[in-house]
Amino acid sequence: MATVTKKSSDGTHKSISTELKEDNVMVPEVIEKAPGIRVFGKRLRSFLFSTDIATICYTNADAILAVYPYTPHPAIISAIVKVANQPVFAGVGGGKTNGKRSIYLALSSEAEGASGVVVNVPMSNENITQIANTIDAPIIGTVISEYQLYDRHKAGVDIFNITAGKETPHLVERIRHQFPDIPIIATGGKNDQSILDVINAGADAVSWTPPTTAELFGNIMDNYRNTVEEQFRSGHEGLSLEEYEDKYDVEF
Protein backbone atom coordinates (compact mmCIF):
# COMPACT_ATOMS: atom_id res chain seq x y z
CA MET A 1 0.00 0.00 0.00
CA ALA A 2 1.40 3.39 -1.03
CA THR A 3 2.34 5.78 1.73
CA VAL A 4 1.25 9.41 1.95
CA THR A 5 3.64 12.02 3.36
CA LYS A 6 2.42 15.42 4.56
CA LYS A 7 3.67 18.40 6.54
CA SER A 8 1.85 19.50 9.65
CA SER A 9 -0.19 22.69 9.37
CA ASP A 10 2.40 24.61 11.44
CA GLY A 11 5.30 23.19 9.44
CA THR A 12 7.05 21.71 12.48
CA HIS A 13 7.04 18.08 11.38
CA LYS A 14 6.15 15.61 8.65
CA SER A 15 3.76 12.69 8.93
CA ILE A 16 3.42 9.42 7.08
CA SER A 17 0.23 7.44 6.59
CA THR A 18 -1.34 5.20 3.97
CA GLU A 19 -4.34 5.67 1.72
CA LEU A 20 -6.42 3.34 3.88
CA LYS A 21 -5.65 5.31 7.04
CA GLU A 22 -5.88 8.85 5.69
CA ASP A 23 -9.36 9.20 7.18
CA ASN A 24 -8.32 8.34 10.74
CA VAL A 25 -9.99 10.35 13.49
CA MET A 26 -7.32 12.95 14.16
CA VAL A 27 -7.42 15.05 17.32
CA PRO A 28 -6.99 18.81 16.79
CA GLU A 29 -3.30 19.68 16.32
CA VAL A 30 -3.61 22.55 18.79
CA ILE A 31 -3.68 20.00 21.62
CA GLU A 32 0.05 19.48 20.99
CA LYS A 33 0.58 22.82 22.72
CA ALA A 34 -0.38 21.18 26.04
CA PRO A 35 2.61 20.17 28.21
CA GLY A 36 1.27 16.64 28.69
CA ILE A 37 1.25 14.14 31.56
CA ARG A 38 3.79 11.34 31.75
CA VAL A 39 2.10 8.11 32.78
CA PHE A 40 4.44 5.13 33.06
CA GLY A 41 6.94 7.01 30.92
CA LYS A 42 4.54 7.92 28.10
CA ARG A 43 3.71 11.57 27.51
CA LEU A 44 -0.05 12.03 27.10
CA ARG A 45 -1.53 15.25 25.76
CA SER A 46 -4.76 14.17 24.07
CA PHE A 47 -7.39 11.93 25.68
CA LEU A 48 -10.11 10.67 23.32
CA PHE A 49 -13.45 10.59 25.13
CA SER A 50 -15.07 7.59 23.48
CA THR A 51 -15.98 3.92 23.83
CA ASP A 52 -16.64 3.39 20.13
CA ILE A 53 -14.37 0.50 19.15
CA ALA A 54 -13.94 1.56 15.51
CA THR A 55 -13.13 5.16 16.45
CA ILE A 56 -10.65 4.01 19.09
CA CYS A 57 -8.95 1.73 16.57
CA TYR A 58 -8.55 4.56 14.06
CA THR A 59 -7.49 7.57 16.14
CA ASN A 60 -4.16 9.24 16.77
CA ALA A 61 -5.09 10.32 20.31
CA ASP A 62 -2.43 9.70 22.96
CA ALA A 63 -4.86 7.96 25.32
CA ILE A 64 -8.44 6.78 25.65
CA LEU A 65 -10.84 8.03 28.31
CA ALA A 66 -13.27 5.10 28.34
CA VAL A 67 -16.16 6.44 30.38
CA TYR A 68 -19.80 5.83 29.47
CA PRO A 69 -23.25 6.44 31.05
CA TYR A 70 -23.98 2.79 31.84
CA THR A 71 -22.83 0.47 34.59
CA PRO A 72 -19.17 -0.37 33.85
CA HIS A 73 -18.69 -3.92 32.63
CA PRO A 74 -15.47 -5.95 32.45
CA ALA A 75 -16.27 -7.19 28.93
CA ILE A 76 -16.47 -3.61 27.63
CA ILE A 77 -13.20 -2.66 29.27
CA SER A 78 -11.55 -5.80 27.91
CA ALA A 79 -12.73 -5.09 24.37
CA ILE A 80 -11.50 -1.49 24.44
CA VAL A 81 -8.08 -2.42 25.83
CA LYS A 82 -7.64 -5.10 23.14
CA VAL A 83 -8.47 -2.71 20.29
CA ALA A 84 -6.71 0.44 21.52
CA ASN A 85 -3.18 1.21 20.39
CA GLN A 86 -2.70 3.62 23.27
CA PRO A 87 -3.15 3.68 27.08
CA VAL A 88 -6.73 3.22 28.24
CA PHE A 89 -8.20 4.80 31.37
CA ALA A 90 -11.36 2.91 32.25
CA GLY A 91 -14.40 4.21 34.06
CA VAL A 92 -15.15 2.07 37.10
CA GLY A 93 -18.16 3.83 38.56
CA GLY A 94 -19.38 6.71 40.61
CA GLY A 95 -23.17 6.78 40.44
CA LYS A 96 -25.05 3.49 40.65
CA THR A 97 -21.79 1.54 40.51
CA ASN A 98 -19.69 1.90 43.63
CA GLY A 99 -18.49 0.02 46.70
CA LYS A 100 -16.99 -3.42 46.24
CA ARG A 101 -18.12 -3.61 42.62
CA SER A 102 -16.03 -0.56 41.72
CA ILE A 103 -13.03 -2.02 43.51
CA TYR A 104 -13.37 -5.30 41.60
CA LEU A 105 -13.82 -3.40 38.32
CA ALA A 106 -10.70 -1.35 39.01
CA LEU A 107 -8.67 -4.49 39.74
CA SER A 108 -10.11 -6.22 36.67
CA SER A 109 -9.30 -3.19 34.48
CA GLU A 110 -5.70 -3.20 35.64
CA ALA A 111 -5.47 -6.95 34.98
CA GLU A 112 -6.82 -6.42 31.44
CA GLY A 113 -4.10 -3.87 30.76
CA ALA A 114 -5.73 -0.52 31.50
CA SER A 115 -3.21 2.16 32.45
CA GLY A 116 -5.52 3.70 35.02
CA VAL A 117 -9.11 4.10 36.14
CA VAL A 118 -11.62 6.92 36.20
CA VAL A 119 -14.04 7.64 39.05
CA ASN A 120 -17.05 9.87 38.51
CA VAL A 121 -18.39 12.70 40.65
CA PRO A 122 -20.79 10.78 42.95
CA MET A 123 -18.25 8.20 44.17
CA SER A 124 -17.46 8.56 47.85
CA ASN A 125 -13.97 9.49 49.00
CA GLU A 126 -13.88 6.32 51.11
CA ASN A 127 -14.51 4.22 48.00
CA ILE A 128 -11.72 6.04 46.14
CA THR A 129 -9.30 5.31 48.97
CA GLN A 130 -10.23 1.62 48.84
CA ILE A 131 -9.52 1.56 45.09
CA ALA A 132 -6.20 3.39 45.61
CA ASN A 133 -5.19 0.77 48.18
CA THR A 134 -6.09 -2.06 45.79
CA ILE A 135 -4.61 -1.22 42.39
CA ASP A 136 -1.17 -0.21 41.17
CA ALA A 137 -2.33 2.44 38.68
CA PRO A 138 -3.29 6.11 38.73
CA ILE A 139 -6.82 7.23 39.50
CA ILE A 140 -8.40 9.99 37.44
CA GLY A 141 -11.13 11.81 39.32
CA THR A 142 -13.78 13.79 37.44
CA VAL A 143 -14.25 17.20 39.07
CA ILE A 144 -17.04 19.71 38.44
CA SER A 145 -16.49 21.99 41.45
CA GLU A 146 -13.55 23.31 43.41
CA TYR A 147 -15.30 22.11 46.57
CA GLN A 148 -14.24 18.56 45.69
CA LEU A 149 -10.52 19.18 45.30
CA TYR A 150 -8.97 18.77 48.73
CA ASP A 151 -10.95 15.70 49.78
CA ARG A 152 -10.54 14.04 46.37
CA HIS A 153 -6.80 14.46 46.37
CA LYS A 154 -6.53 13.29 49.96
CA ALA A 155 -8.65 10.23 49.13
CA GLY A 156 -6.25 9.09 46.41
CA VAL A 157 -7.09 10.86 43.14
CA ASP A 158 -3.86 11.33 41.17
CA ILE A 159 -5.17 13.30 38.19
CA PHE A 160 -8.03 15.79 38.09
CA ASN A 161 -10.36 15.56 35.09
CA ILE A 162 -12.08 18.94 34.87
CA THR A 163 -15.43 19.06 33.11
CA ALA A 164 -17.37 22.16 34.10
CA GLY A 165 -18.87 23.32 30.82
CA LYS A 166 -18.14 26.95 29.99
CA GLU A 167 -16.62 27.37 33.47
CA THR A 168 -13.89 24.80 32.74
CA PRO A 169 -11.06 27.32 32.01
CA HIS A 170 -11.88 29.24 35.20
CA LEU A 171 -11.92 26.07 37.30
CA VAL A 172 -8.67 24.87 35.75
CA GLU A 173 -7.02 28.18 36.62
CA ARG A 174 -8.21 27.94 40.24
CA ILE A 175 -7.01 24.36 40.58
CA ARG A 176 -3.65 25.11 39.00
CA HIS A 177 -3.14 27.91 41.51
CA GLN A 178 -4.15 25.76 44.49
CA PHE A 179 -2.48 22.54 43.33
CA PRO A 180 0.50 23.51 41.15
CA ASP A 181 1.90 19.97 41.02
CA ILE A 182 -1.30 17.99 40.33
CA PRO A 183 -1.81 16.80 36.71
CA ILE A 184 -4.94 18.23 35.12
CA ILE A 185 -6.98 16.96 32.17
CA ALA A 186 -9.66 19.38 30.95
CA THR A 187 -12.51 19.15 28.48
CA GLY A 188 -11.43 21.03 25.37
CA GLY A 189 -14.74 21.85 23.75
CA LYS A 190 -15.51 22.01 20.04
CA ASN A 191 -12.94 24.39 18.56
CA ASP A 192 -9.27 25.35 18.69
CA GLN A 193 -9.89 28.46 20.75
CA SER A 194 -11.74 26.62 23.52
CA ILE A 195 -8.92 24.07 23.61
CA LEU A 196 -6.33 26.85 23.86
CA ASP A 197 -8.33 28.45 26.66
CA VAL A 198 -8.02 25.40 28.92
CA ILE A 199 -4.34 24.91 28.02
CA ASN A 200 -3.56 28.55 28.80
CA ALA A 201 -5.49 28.21 32.05
CA GLY A 202 -3.12 25.45 33.14
CA ALA A 203 -4.39 22.13 31.81
CA ASP A 204 -1.67 19.55 31.20
CA ALA A 205 -3.79 17.49 28.80
CA VAL A 206 -7.09 17.82 26.94
CA SER A 207 -10.00 15.44 26.56
CA TRP A 208 -11.67 15.63 23.16
CA THR A 209 -14.97 14.17 22.01
CA PRO A 210 -14.76 12.90 18.41
CA PRO A 211 -17.52 13.26 15.81
CA THR A 212 -20.15 10.54 15.97
CA THR A 213 -20.14 7.68 13.48
CA ALA A 214 -23.29 9.14 11.93
CA GLU A 215 -21.57 12.51 11.42
CA LEU A 216 -18.52 10.87 9.85
CA PHE A 217 -20.69 8.74 7.57
CA GLY A 218 -22.62 11.87 6.56
CA ASN A 219 -19.43 13.51 5.29
CA ILE A 220 -18.36 10.35 3.49
CA MET A 221 -21.75 9.95 1.78
CA ASP A 222 -21.69 13.61 0.70
CA ASN A 223 -18.33 12.97 -0.97
CA TYR A 224 -19.69 9.84 -2.66
CA ARG A 225 -22.66 11.80 -4.02
CA ASN A 226 -20.40 14.49 -5.44
CA THR A 227 -18.18 11.84 -7.02
CA VAL A 228 -21.16 10.13 -8.65
CA GLU A 229 -22.32 13.44 -10.14
CA GLU A 230 -18.83 14.21 -11.45
CA GLN A 231 -18.63 10.77 -13.05
CA PHE A 232 -21.99 11.31 -14.76
CA ARG A 233 -20.95 14.71 -16.10
CA SER A 234 -17.63 13.40 -17.41
CA GLY A 235 -19.44 10.76 -19.44
CA HIS A 236 -22.34 12.94 -20.60
CA GLU A 237 -20.84 16.06 -22.20
CA GLY A 238 -20.38 17.80 -18.85
CA LEU A 239 -24.13 18.09 -18.41
CA SER A 240 -26.04 17.66 -15.17
CA LEU A 241 -28.78 15.02 -15.07
CA GLU A 242 -31.50 17.66 -15.55
CA GLU A 243 -29.62 19.29 -18.45
CA TYR A 244 -29.06 15.93 -20.11
CA GLU A 245 -32.74 15.00 -19.77
CA ASP A 246 -33.82 18.33 -21.28
CA LYS A 247 -31.37 18.12 -24.17
CA TYR A 248 -32.16 14.58 -25.22
CA ASP A 249 -35.73 14.35 -23.92
CA VAL A 250 -35.02 11.30 -21.78
CA GLU A 251 -35.93 10.33 -18.25
CA PHE A 252 -34.14 8.07 -15.80
Side-chain angles (χ1 to χ4, degrees):
M1 185 60 64
T3 59
V4 179
T5 304
K6 293 181 179 179
K7 266 191 176 182
S8 63
S9 59
D10 60 5
T12 59
H13 62 275
K14 300 178 181 66
S15 62
I16 295 178
S17 185
T18 64
E19 292 179 5
L20 294 182
K21 294 180 179 177
E22 268 197 296
D23 295 327
N24 281 10
V25 179
M26 311 295 282
V27 301
E29 286 189 12
V30 68
I31 295 179
E32 294 185 12
K33 294 181 180 292
I37 304 168
R38 285 198 182 276
V39 179
F40 301 131
K42 295 181 179 180
R43 190 174 186 179
L44 310 178
R45 292 185 175 95
S46 55
F47 285 71
L48 188 83
F49 179 56
S50 177
T51 53
D52 183 272
I53 293 295
T55 300
I56 289 171
C57 186
Y58 287 98
T59 183
N60 71 328
D62 297 328
I64 307 300
L65 205 59
V67 180
Y68 44 97
Y70 316 109
T71 296
H73 196 286
I76 295 174
I77 296 169
S78 177
I80 292 172
V81 170
K82 287 178 182 177
V83 168
N85 296 310
Q86 53 279 96
V88 173
F89 294 82
V92 295
K96 293 181 179 179
T97 308
N98 49 54
K100 288 184 178 180
R101 183 174 179 87
S102 287
I103 298 171
Y104 294 150
L105 282 166
L107 190 58
S108 172
S109 299
E110 183 185 11
E112 287 287 351
S115 294
V117 300
V118 186
V119 296
N120 212 339
V121 176
M123 183 172 286
S124 70
N125 292 320
E126 292 76 15
N127 204 168
I128 293 173
T129 299
Q130 290 171 331
I131 292 173
N133 290 335
T134 303
I135 65 172
D136 183 35
I139 298 174
I140 296 176
T142 299
V143 173
I144 59 173
S145 168
E146 58 193 286
Y147 287 99
Q148 299 174 282
L149 301 178
Y150 292 101
D151 289 341
R152 280 312 204 212
H153 182 46
K154 184 179 178 181
V157 166
D158 302 290
I159 302 170
F160 289 140
N161 175 38
I162 312 303
T163 172
K166 64 181 181 180
E167 296 299 320
T168 297
H170 172 70
L171 185 53
V172 169
E173 190 173 11
R174 289 288 300 268
I175 295 172
R176 177 53 65 225
H177 176 72
Q178 294 172 325
F179 298 89
D181 298 324
I182 296 297
I184 296 174
I185 304 169
T187 304
K190 294 292 186 180
N191 56 62
D192 285 2
Q193 186 55 56
S194 62
I195 292 171
L196 275 175
D197 287 344
V198 296
I199 293 173
N200 291 335
D204 298 291
V206 176
S207 69
W208 179 72
T209 304
T212 66
T213 302
E215 291 170 337
L216 293 172
F217 257 125
N219 294 333
I220 291 171
M221 296 308 292
D222 285 342
N223 290 333
Y224 286 164
R225 294 184 190 99
N226 292 334
T227 299
V228 169
E229 181 177 347
E230 290 172 3
Q231 290 173 339
F232 179 88
R233 286 179 179 272
S234 66
H236 297 82
E237 306 170 35
L239 302 174
S240 68
L241 179 60
E242 293 79 9
E243 292 168 340
Y244 188 82
E245 289 176 338
D246 291 340
K247 182 175 182 178
Y248 292 103
D249 193 27
V250 295
E251 291 186 6
F252 291 93

